[in-house]
Amino acid sequence: MRSQTIDIIMGDITQLSVDAIVNAANNSLLGGGGVDGAIHRVAGPELLEECRGLKGCDTGQAKLTSGYQLPAKHVIHTVGPIWYGGEEGEAGHLASCYRDSLRLAEQYQLKSVAFPAISCGVYGYPAEQAAEIAIRTVMEEKSNDLSIIFCLFSEEMLSVYQRVFKGLSEN
Ligand code: ADP
């Protein structure tokens, strides 16, 4: 059996030909700015139609749709926490986003999943802390036969993830 692999890349997640890309959505699942807006633009209006039927999503949970016009086959919509300073359960919710997304990946027998830096845009989660939760949580889940890609949108975020990954791999 193959084991889990983790790759850290810089790029536009909407251009990845993977089994699923993860969307950093909001509770309504009806679209927004940032990576959410980019995904809906490329996927086309059918994605919004399917999302309407999902009736929203709780923070820390995830729901799967088709990818429509995206190169990715599916979209896993997850709702990250808004950063309120760290005392409002943000870390638990963020870890839950990664775990619930991986649960869906397993349920649908996906082989490759790409994550953006959930909550690190308008939701304001500190990059270093978010990267640590992202990487630690996927390492703990140890999903067999799954290729995990962290797709970052800036050089700065890329180097944060690379540094955190190195630190966690050495321990
Ligand atoms: P949130 O509301 O969860 O903070 P955002 O979409 O505002 O979500 O930001 C999450 C992260 O996604 C940010 O680091 C942002 O730079 C990044 N991002 C924005 N567009 C894309 C894209 N097309 N591909 C990958 N990452 C993206």
Side-chain angles (χ1 to χ4, degrees):
M1 198 185 284
R2 274 176 49 206
S3 61
Q4 169 185 271
T5 62
I6 297 176
D7 288 296
I8 298 171
I9 65 167
M10 192 174 118
D12 177 354
I13 204 164
T14 66
Q15 300 308 306
L16 298 182
S17 300
V18 287
D19 284 349
I21 59 172
V22 176
N23 182 14
N26 56 43
N27 294 117
S28 75
L29 296 186
L30 298 180
V35 71
D36 194 4
I39 289 171
H40 277 275
R41 267 196 301 282
V42 178
E46 288 163 303
L47 178 61
L48 188 58
E49 268 313 299
E50 186 175 354
C51 283
R52 271 192 230 287
L54 298 177
K55 308 284 178 225
C57 184
D58 289 337
T59 303
Q61 303 295 298
K63 294 187 177 181
L64 181 135
T65 66
S66 172
Y68 299 101
Q69 307 306 311
L70 287 158
K73 292 192 196 113
H74 303 277
V75 180
I76 295 173
H77 306 263
T78 189
V79 184
I82 298 172
W83 177 257
Y84 290 114
E87 304 293 324
E88 304 289 333
E90 291 94 331
H93 279 137
L94 188 59
S96 172
C97 287
Y98 289 94
R99 271 198 305 273
D100 211 37
S101 298
L102 293 175
R103 175 189 64 79
L104 286 174
E106 190 172 306
Q107 186 181 332
Y108 287 87
Q109 298 179 319
L110 309 183
K111 300 288 178 221
S112 51
V113 176
F115 287 96
I118 300 164
S119 287
C120 291
V122 296
Y123 280 6
Y125 212 108
E128 191 101 16
Q129 292 177 54
E132 183 156 341
I133 289 169
I135 296 166
R136 198 191 283 281
T137 305
V138 305
M139 279 176 161
E140 281 167 5
E141 289 301 304
K142 290 199 180 45
S143 332
N144 275 320
D145 210 12
L146 180 64
S147 158
I148 292 167
I149 299 154
F150 289 111
C151 179
L152 293 325
F153 209 47
S154 67
E155 293 274 4
E156 201 182 338
M157 194 60 87
L158 178 71
S159 60
V160 169
Y161 267 70
Q162 286 170 335
R163 189 168 63 243
V164 170
F165 182 73
K166 195 157 172 279
L168 290 174
S169 307
E170 282 163 359
N171 291 327

